[in-house]
Coordinates of all heavy atoms in Angstrom, one line a residue:
G85 N 108.3 94.4 113.8 CA 108.1 93.3 112.8 C 109.2 92.5 112.4 O 109.1 91.5 111.6
I86 N 110.5 92.9 112.8 CA 111.7 92.2 112.4 C 112.4 91.7 113.6 O 113.7 91.7 113.6 CB 112.6 93.2 111.6 CG1 111.8 94.1 110.6 CG2 113.7 92.5 110.8 CD1 111.6 93.5 109.3
G87 N 111.7 91.3 114.6 CA 112.4 90.8 115.8 C 113.2 91.8 116.4 O 112.9 93.0 116.6
Y88 N 114.5 91.4 116.8 CA 115.5 92.3 117.4 C 116.2 93.1 116.4 O 117.0 94.0 116.8 CB 116.4 91.5 118.3 CG 115.8 90.9 119.5 CD1 115.9 89.5 119.7 CD2 115.2 91.6 120.5 CE1 115.3 88.9 120.7 CE2 114.7 91.0 121.6 CZ 114.7 89.6 121.7 OH 114.2 89.0 122.8
A89 N 116.0 92.8 115.1 CA 116.8 93.6 114.1 C 116.3 95.1 114.0 O 115.1 95.3 114.1 CB 116.6 92.9 112.7
V90 N 117.2 96.0 113.8 CA 116.8 97.4 113.6 C 117.4 97.7 112.2 O 118.6 97.8 112.0 CB 117.5 98.3 114.7 CG1 117.0 99.7 114.4 CG2 117.0 97.8 116.1
L91 N 116.5 97.7 111.3 CA 116.9 98.0 109.9 C 117.3 99.5 109.7 O 116.7 100.3 110.4 CB 115.8 97.6 108.9 CG 115.4 96.2 108.8 CD1 114.2 95.9 108.0 CD2 116.6 95.4 108.3
P92 N 118.3 99.7 108.8 CA 118.6 101.1 108.6 C 117.4 101.8 108.0 O 116.6 101.2 107.3 CB 119.7 101.1 107.5 CG 119.9 99.6 107.1 CD 119.1 98.8 108.0
E93 N 117.3 103.2 108.2 CA 116.2 103.9 107.5 C 116.4 103.8 106.0 O 117.5 104.0 105.5 CB 116.5 105.5 107.9 CG 115.7 105.9 109.1 CD 114.2 105.7 109.0 OE1 113.5 106.2 108.1 OE2 113.6 104.9 109.9
P94 N 115.3 103.5 105.3 CA 115.5 103.4 103.9 C 115.8 104.8 103.3 O 115.3 105.8 103.7 CB 114.1 102.9 103.4 CG 113.2 103.2 104.6 CD 114.0 103.2 105.8
Y95 N 116.6 104.8 102.2 CA 116.8 106.0 101.6 C 115.8 106.4 100.5 O 115.6 107.5 100.1 CB 118.3 106.3 101.1 CG 118.9 105.1 100.4 CD1 118.8 104.9 99.1 CD2 119.7 104.2 101.1 CE1 119.4 103.9 98.4 CE2 120.3 103.1 100.5 CZ 120.2 103.0 99.1 OH 120.7 101.9 98.5
G96 N 115.2 105.3 100.0 CA 114.1 105.5 99.0 C 112.8 105.8 99.9 O 112.8 105.8 101.0
A97 N 111.7 106.1 99.1 CA 110.4 106.5 99.8 C 109.4 105.4 99.4 O 109.4 104.9 98.2 CB 110.0 107.8 99.3
V98 N 108.5 105.2 100.3 CA 107.3 104.3 99.9 C 106.5 105.0 98.9 O 106.3 106.2 98.9 CB 106.5 104.1 101.2 CG1 105.2 103.4 100.9 CG2 107.3 103.3 102.3
S99 N 106.1 104.2 97.9 CA 105.4 104.8 96.8 C 104.1 105.4 97.2 O 103.4 105.0 98.1 CB 105.1 103.6 95.8 OG 104.2 104.1 94.7
A100 N 103.7 106.5 96.4 CA 102.4 107.1 96.8 C 101.3 106.4 96.0 O 100.1 106.7 96.2 CB 102.5 108.6 96.3
R101 N 101.6 105.5 95.1 CA 100.6 104.7 94.4 C 99.8 103.7 95.3 O 100.3 103.3 96.3 CB 101.2 103.9 93.2 CG 102.0 104.7 92.2 CD 101.0 105.5 91.3 NE 100.0 104.6 90.8 CZ 100.0 103.8 89.8 NH1 101.2 103.6 89.1 NH2 99.0 103.0 89.4
D102 N 98.6 103.4 94.9 CA 97.8 102.4 95.6 C 98.2 101.0 95.2 O 98.3 100.6 94.0 CB 96.3 102.6 95.3 CG 95.5 101.5 95.9 OD1 95.4 101.5 97.2 OD2 94.9 100.7 95.2
A103 N 98.5 100.2 96.2 CA 99.0 98.8 95.9 C 98.1 98.0 95.0 O 98.5 97.3 94.1 CB 99.2 98.1 97.2
V104 N 96.8 98.1 95.2 CA 95.9 97.3 94.5 C 95.8 97.7 93.0 O 95.9 96.9 92.1 CB 94.4 97.5 95.2 CG1 93.4 96.7 94.4 CG2 94.5 97.0 96.6
E105 N 95.8 99.0 92.8 CA 95.9 99.5 91.4 C 97.2 99.0 90.7 O 97.2 98.7 89.5 CB 95.8 101.1 91.4 CG 94.5 101.6 91.6 CD 94.4 103.1 91.7 OE1 95.4 103.7 91.3 OE2 93.4 103.7 92.1
L106 N 98.2 99.1 91.5 CA 99.5 98.7 91.0 C 99.5 97.2 90.5 O 100.0 96.9 89.4 CB 100.6 98.8 92.1 CG 101.9 99.4 91.7 CD1 101.9 100.6 90.9 CD2 102.8 99.6 93.0
W107 N 99.0 96.4 91.3 CA 98.8 94.9 90.9 C 98.1 94.8 89.6 O 98.5 94.1 88.7 CB 98.2 94.2 92.1 CG 99.1 93.6 93.0 CD1 99.9 94.2 93.9 CD2 99.3 92.2 93.3 NE1 100.6 93.4 94.6 CE2 100.2 92.0 94.3 CE3 98.7 91.0 92.8 CZ2 100.7 90.8 94.8 CZ3 99.1 89.8 93.4 CH2 100.0 89.7 94.4
V108 N 97.0 95.5 89.5 CA 96.1 95.3 88.4 C 96.8 95.8 87.1 O 96.8 95.2 86.0 CB 94.7 96.0 88.6 CG1 93.9 96.1 87.4 CG2 94.0 95.2 89.8
E109 N 97.4 97.0 87.3 CA 98.1 97.7 86.2 C 99.2 96.8 85.7 O 99.3 96.5 84.4 CB 98.7 99.0 86.7 CG 98.8 100.0 85.7 CD 99.2 101.3 86.4 OE1 98.4 102.0 87.0 OE2 100.5 101.6 86.4
H110 N 100.0 96.2 86.5 CA 101.1 95.4 86.1 C 100.6 94.1 85.5 O 101.2 93.6 84.5 CB 102.1 95.0 87.2 CG 103.0 96.2 87.7 ND1 103.9 96.7 86.7 CD2 103.1 96.9 88.8 CE1 104.5 97.7 87.4 NE2 104.1 97.8 88.6
A111 N 99.6 93.5 86.1 CA 99.1 92.2 85.5 C 98.5 92.4 84.1 O 98.7 91.6 83.3 CB 98.0 91.6 86.5
R112 N 97.9 93.6 83.9 CA 97.3 93.8 82.6 C 98.4 94.1 81.6 O 98.3 93.8 80.4 CB 96.3 95.1 82.7 CG 95.0 94.7 83.3 CD 94.1 96.0 83.4 NE 92.9 95.7 84.0 CZ 92.2 96.7 84.5 NH1 92.6 98.0 84.6 NH2 91.0 96.4 85.1
A113 N 99.4 94.8 82.1 CA 100.5 95.2 81.1 C 101.3 94.0 80.7 O 101.9 94.0 79.6 CB 101.4 96.2 81.8
R114 N 101.4 93.0 81.5 CA 102.3 91.8 81.2 C 101.5 90.5 81.4 O 101.9 89.7 82.2 CB 103.6 91.9 82.1 CG 104.4 93.1 81.8 CD 105.5 93.2 82.8 NE 106.6 92.2 82.7 CZ 107.7 92.1 83.4 NH1 107.9 93.0 84.3 NH2 108.5 91.1 83.3
P115 N 100.5 90.3 80.6 CA 99.7 89.1 80.7 C 100.5 87.8 80.6 O 101.3 87.7 79.7 CB 98.6 89.3 79.6 CG 99.2 90.3 78.7 CD 100.1 91.1 79.4
G116 N 100.2 86.9 81.6 CA 100.9 85.6 81.5 C 102.3 85.6 81.9 O 103.1 84.6 81.9
E117 N 102.9 86.8 82.4 CA 104.3 86.8 82.7 C 104.6 86.9 84.2 O 105.7 86.6 84.7 CB 104.9 88.1 82.1 CG 105.1 88.1 80.7 CD 105.8 89.4 80.2 OE1 106.6 90.0 80.9 OE2 105.5 89.8 79.1
L118 N 103.6 87.4 85.0 CA 104.0 87.7 86.4 C 103.5 86.6 87.4 O 102.4 86.0 87.3 CB 103.3 89.0 86.8 CG 103.7 90.2 86.0 CD1 103.0 91.5 86.5 CD2 105.2 90.3 85.8
T119 N 104.3 86.3 88.3 CA 104.0 85.3 89.4 C 103.7 86.0 90.6 O 104.4 86.9 91.1 CB 105.3 84.4 89.7 OG1 105.6 83.6 88.5 CG2 105.0 83.4 90.8
A120 N 102.5 85.8 91.2 CA 102.0 86.4 92.4 C 102.4 85.6 93.6 O 102.2 84.3 93.6 CB 100.6 86.6 92.4
L121 N 103.0 86.2 94.6 CA 103.4 85.5 95.9 C 102.8 86.4 97.0 O 103.1 87.6 97.1 CB 104.9 85.4 96.0 CG 105.4 84.9 97.4 CD1 104.9 83.6 97.8 CD2 106.9 85.0 97.5
I122 N 101.9 85.8 97.8 CA 101.3 86.5 98.9 C 101.7 85.8 100.2 O 101.2 84.7 100.4 CB 99.8 86.6 98.7 CG1 99.4 87.3 97.5 CG2 99.2 87.5 99.9 CD1 98.8 86.4 96.5
T123 N 102.4 86.5 101.1 CA 102.9 85.9 102.4 C 102.2 86.6 103.5 O 102.8 86.8 104.6 CB 104.4 85.9 102.5 OG1 104.8 87.2 102.5 CG2 105.0 85.1 101.4
A124 N 101.0 87.2 103.3 CA 100.3 88.0 104.2 C 98.9 87.7 104.2 O 98.5 86.9 103.3 CB 100.6 89.5 103.7
P125 N 98.1 88.4 105.0 CA 96.6 88.3 104.9 C 96.3 88.7 103.4 O 96.9 89.5 102.8 CB 96.1 89.3 105.9 CG 97.1 89.3 106.9 CD 98.5 89.2 106.2
L126 N 95.2 88.1 102.9 CA 94.8 88.2 101.5 C 94.0 89.5 101.2 O 93.4 89.6 100.1 CB 94.1 87.0 101.0 CG 95.0 85.7 101.0 CD1 94.1 84.5 100.8 CD2 96.0 85.9 99.9
T127 N 94.1 90.5 102.0 CA 93.3 91.7 101.8 C 93.6 92.4 100.5 O 92.6 92.7 99.7 CB 93.7 92.7 103.0 OG1 93.7 92.0 104.2 CG2 92.6 93.8 103.1
N128 N 94.8 92.8 100.2 CA 95.1 93.4 98.9 C 94.8 92.6 97.7 O 94.3 93.1 96.7 CB 96.6 93.8 98.9 CG 96.9 95.1 99.8 OD1 96.0 95.9 100.1 ND2 98.2 95.2 100.2
F129 N 95.1 91.3 97.8 CA 94.8 90.4 96.7 C 93.3 90.3 96.4 O 92.9 90.3 95.3 CB 95.4 89.0 97.0 CG 95.4 88.2 95.7 CD1 95.8 88.6 94.5 CD2 95.2 86.8 95.8 CE1 95.8 87.8 93.3 CE2 95.2 86.0 94.7 CZ 95.6 86.5 93.5
A130 N 92.5 90.3 97.5 CA 91.0 90.2 97.3 C 90.6 91.5 96.7 O 89.7 91.5 95.7 CB 90.4 90.0 98.7
L131 N 91.1 92.6 97.1 CA 90.7 93.9 96.4 C 91.1 94.0 95.0 O 90.4 94.5 94.1 CB 91.3 95.1 97.2 CG 90.7 95.2 98.6 CD1 91.5 96.2 99.4 CD2 89.2 95.6 98.6
A132 N 92.3 93.4 94.7 CA 92.8 93.4 93.3 C 91.9 92.5 92.4 O 91.5 92.9 91.3 CB 94.2 92.9 93.2
L133 N 91.4 91.4 93.0 CA 90.5 90.5 92.3 C 89.1 91.2 92.1 O 88.5 90.9 91.1 CB 90.3 89.2 93.0 CG 91.5 88.2 92.8 CD1 91.5 87.2 94.0 CD2 91.4 87.5 91.5
R134 N 88.7 92.0 93.0 CA 87.4 92.7 92.8 C 87.6 93.7 91.6 O 86.7 93.9 90.8 CB 87.1 93.5 94.0 CG 86.5 92.8 95.2 CD 86.1 93.7 96.3 NE 85.7 93.0 97.5 CZ 85.4 93.6 98.6 NH1 85.4 94.9 98.7 NH2 85.1 92.8 99.7
M135 N 88.8 94.4 91.6 CA 89.0 95.3 90.6 C 89.2 94.7 89.2 O 88.8 95.3 88.1 CB 90.2 96.2 91.0 CG 90.5 97.4 90.1 SD 92.0 98.3 90.6 CE 91.4 99.2 92.1
E136 N 89.9 93.6 89.2 CA 90.1 92.9 87.9 C 89.9 91.4 88.1 O 90.8 90.6 88.4 CB 91.6 93.1 87.4 CG 92.1 92.4 86.2 CD 91.1 92.5 85.0 OE1 90.1 91.8 85.0 OE2 91.4 93.3 84.1
P137 N 88.6 91.0 87.8 CA 88.3 89.6 88.0 C 89.1 88.6 87.1 O 89.1 87.4 87.3 CB 86.8 89.5 87.7 CG 86.3 90.9 87.8 CD 87.5 91.8 87.5
R138 N 89.7 89.2 86.0 CA 90.5 88.3 85.1 C 91.9 88.1 85.7 O 92.7 87.4 85.0 CB 90.6 89.0 83.7 CG 89.2 89.0 83.0 CD 89.4 89.6 81.6 NE 90.1 90.9 81.7 CZ 91.2 91.3 81.0 NH1 91.6 90.5 80.1 NH2 91.8 92.5 81.2
L139 N 92.2 88.5 86.9 CA 93.6 88.3 87.4 C 94.1 86.8 87.3 O 95.2 86.6 87.0 CB 93.7 88.8 88.8 CG 94.1 90.2 89.1 CD1 94.4 90.4 90.6 CD2 95.3 90.6 88.3
P140 N 93.2 85.9 87.7 CA 93.6 84.4 87.6 C 94.1 84.1 86.2 O 95.1 83.4 86.1 CB 92.4 83.7 87.9 CG 91.5 84.6 88.8 CD 91.8 85.9 88.2
E141 N 93.5 84.7 85.1 CA 94.0 84.4 83.8 C 95.2 85.2 83.5 O 96.2 84.8 82.8 CB 92.9 84.7 82.7 CG 91.7 83.8 82.7 CD 90.5 84.5 83.2 OE1 89.9 85.2 82.4 OE2 90.2 84.4 84.4
L142 N 95.3 86.4 84.0 CA 96.4 87.4 83.6 C 97.7 87.0 84.3 O 98.8 87.2 83.7 CB 96.0 88.8 84.0 CG 94.9 89.4 83.2 CD1 94.5 90.8 83.8 CD2 95.4 89.6 81.8
L143 N 97.7 86.4 85.4 CA 98.9 86.0 86.2 C 99.4 84.7 85.7 O 98.7 83.8 85.4 CB 98.6 86.0 87.7 CG 98.2 87.3 88.4 CD1 97.6 87.1 89.7 CD2 99.4 88.2 88.4
A144 N 100.8 84.6 85.7 CA 101.3 83.3 85.3 C 101.1 82.2 86.4 O 100.9 81.0 86.1 CB 102.9 83.5 85.1
G145 N 101.0 82.6 87.6 CA 100.8 81.7 88.7 C 100.6 82.4 90.0 O 101.0 83.6 90.1
V146 N 100.1 81.8 91.0 CA 99.8 82.4 92.3 C 100.2 81.4 93.4 O 99.9 80.2 93.4 CB 98.3 82.7 92.5 CG1 98.1 83.3 93.9 CG2 97.8 83.7 91.4
V147 N 101.0 81.9 94.4 CA 101.4 81.1 95.5 C 101.0 81.9 96.8 O 101.2 83.1 96.9 CB 102.9 80.8 95.5 CG1 103.3 80.1 96.8 CG2 103.3 80.0 94.3
I148 N 100.3 81.2 97.7 CA 99.8 81.8 98.9 C 100.3 81.1 100.1 O 100.3 79.9 100.1 CB 98.2 81.7 98.9 CG1 97.6 82.6 97.8 CG2 97.7 82.1 100.3 CD1 96.1 82.4 97.6
M149 N 100.8 81.8 101.1 CA 101.1 81.2 102.4 C 99.9 81.5 103.3 O 99.5 82.7 103.5 CB 102.3 81.8 103.1 CG 102.8 81.0 104.3 SD 101.8 81.3 105.8 CE 101.5 79.6 106.3
G150 N 99.2 80.4 103.7 CA 98.0 80.6 104.6 C 97.2 79.3 104.7 O 97.4 78.4 104.0
G151 N 96.5 79.3 105.8 CA 95.6 78.2 106.1 C 96.3 77.0 106.9 O 97.5 77.0 107.0
S152 N 95.4 76.2 107.3 CA 95.9 74.9 107.9 C 94.7 73.9 107.7 O 93.6 74.2 107.9 CB 96.1 75.1 109.4 OG 95.1 75.5 110.1
F153 N 95.0 72.8 107.2 CA 94.0 71.8 106.8 C 94.1 70.6 107.6 O 94.9 69.8 107.4 CB 94.1 71.5 105.3 CG 94.0 72.8 104.4 CD1 95.1 73.5 104.0 CD2 92.7 73.3 104.2 CE1 94.9 74.7 103.3 CE2 92.5 74.5 103.4 CZ 93.7 75.2 103.0

Side-chain angles (χ1 to χ4, degrees):
I86 317 273
Y88 294 118
V90 180
L91 293 171
E93 268 302 301
Y95 44 87
V98 172
S99 171
R101 299 285 315 278
D102 174 67
V104 176
E105 284 176 12
L106 219 51
W107 267 61
V108 170
E109 210 173 279
H110 284 300
R112 284 177 181 158
R114 296 172 67 176
E117 283 183 36
L118 306 183
T119 297
L121 169 63
I122 303 113
T123 62
L126 290 167
T127 318
N128 283 336
F129 192 42
L131 292 170
L133 281 158
R134 280 184 192 177
M135 190 180 283
E136 176 49 282
R138 289 180 310 131
L139 268 190
E141 293 110 81
L142 292 171
L143 293 167
V146 178
V147 177
I148 292 171
M149 191 284 132
S152 58
F153 298 98

